[in-house]
Amino acid sequence: MGSLRDVHGCLVDLDGTLVRGQQALPGASAFLEALEGRFVIVSNDAEHTPLELSRGLKRLGLAVAQRRIVLAGTTALDEIALRLPRARIYMMASKSLMAHARDQGLVPVQTRPDIVFLGRDRQFSYERLTIAANAVRDGAELVAANPDLVHPGPDGAIVPETGALLAALLACTGPVPHRVIGKPEPALFEAGLALLKLPKRAVVMVGDNPATDGEGARRFGLRYFEIRDGVFPLLGSAPPQHESASLLALSA
Ligand SMILES: [Mg+2]
């Protein structure tokens, strides 16, 4: 049982929670305003930088500073740069993430990488798969930005995600140890919480996906509120008994 009265900040998922496709969801803007800056967006996005996303959200009517955005792709690269400064990295990723890697001092290469990095690579190809699989076989460390296989597109279309590319690579290499950064793993929750500067007991994860947002929050030790039908938790409202049910109750 938890009360929303002692909630002082939120980690908030993006896709399906605040936006869907190219539209802000109803209530998203009001929800963020009600939080008065006490939130950080934590998203498995493995393609953009926080600055790009901040600009994109502004076009949708959501004002979110880039310092309030934690993304799987850039977080993964930041972590690699911290752990292995100037590492040689083979990147299957967007141009934005390539530029971010260089900004962090990493060195994108085509041969003999220390790291093979998987983001949402829309130029994924047989050639890239060949290079990545052989680099991993030769001992490069494998890092994937997120484990998601797909996400829903317009009219229920299947949009392949980073995890699908990871599955292709692992099909070639066989099972190898690898690191995954996105939810439900703890890295994004840790980064978000550090930005909020709040204890876990004062923070709630708000999301739409029980397998990533919910499971990740549970493992990390955060309460979880699930958005359903665009109903957002209202801070200071009646204490809920059960997380997702309570959101429906709060809308009454
Ligand atoms: Mg989501």
Side-chain angles (χ1 to χ4, degrees), residues 13 15 208 213:
D13 172 55
D15 286 307
D208 70 314
D213 304 320

Side-chain angles (χ1 to χ4, degrees), residues 1-208:
M1 194 187 300
S3 166
L4 285 174
R5 289 181 207 282
D6 57 0
V7 172
H8 297 292
C10 291
L11 298 182
V12 188
D13 172 55
L14 184 61
D15 286 307
T17 298
L18 296 174
V19 303
R20 184 168 294 139
Q22 287 304 305
Q23 281 192 322
L25 287 166
S29 178
F31 174 59
L32 294 184
E33 268 173 39
L35 289 171
E36 296 175 335
R38 296 166 300 160
F39 70 91
V40 171
I41 290 178
V42 287
S43 163
N44 274 2
D45 183 302
E47 188 174 10
H48 303 99
T49 63
L51 178 60
E52 288 174 316
L53 214 61
S54 173
R55 287 175 176 160
L57 290 174
K58 193 175 177 188
R59 286 193 288 274
L60 304 184
L62 298 176
V64 183
Q66 60 167 315
R67 69 176 189 283
R68 301 205 170 279
I69 301 176
V70 171
L71 304 178
T74 50
T75 300
L77 292 168
D78 294 348
E79 197 171 83
I80 292 167
L82 205 61
R83 196 159 47 86
L84 297 167
R86 312 257 344 130
R88 294 165 59 86
I89 184 168
Y90 181 66
M91 297 189 67
M92 300 166 87
S94 64
K95 285 196 169 70
S96 300
L97 289 194
M98 296 276 279
H100 185 83
R102 286 195 188 91
D103 287 347
Q104 302 305 309
L106 298 171
V107 184
V109 294
Q110 295 291 312
T111 57
R112 294 185 297 106
D114 306 307
I115 304 267
V116 168
F117 173 81
L118 279 181
R120 185 177 169 209
D121 179 8
R122 298 200 201 207
Q123 267 75 51
F124 182 80
S125 68
Y126 185 86
E127 186 192 358
R128 288 186 179 188
L129 182 59
T130 305
I131 292 172
N134 282 287
V136 169
R137 186 205 62 170
D138 291 343
E141 179 187 333
L142 175 57
V143 177
N146 77 49
D148 304 345
L149 296 173
V150 296
H151 71 248
D155 302 322
I158 291 171
V159 181
E161 254 295 344
T162 309
L165 309 187
L166 176 63
L169 181 52
L170 292 176
C172 298
T173 62
V176 292
H178 58 280
R179 190 160 160 65
V180 178
I181 299 299
K183 299 174 285 185
E185 301 301 324
L188 300 190
F189 295 94
E190 271 165 20
L193 199 69
L195 289 174
L196 280 177
K197 298 186 177 72
L198 289 170
K200 283 183 183 178
R201 63 185 148 71
V203 175
V204 166
M205 173 70 207
V206 178
D208 70 314

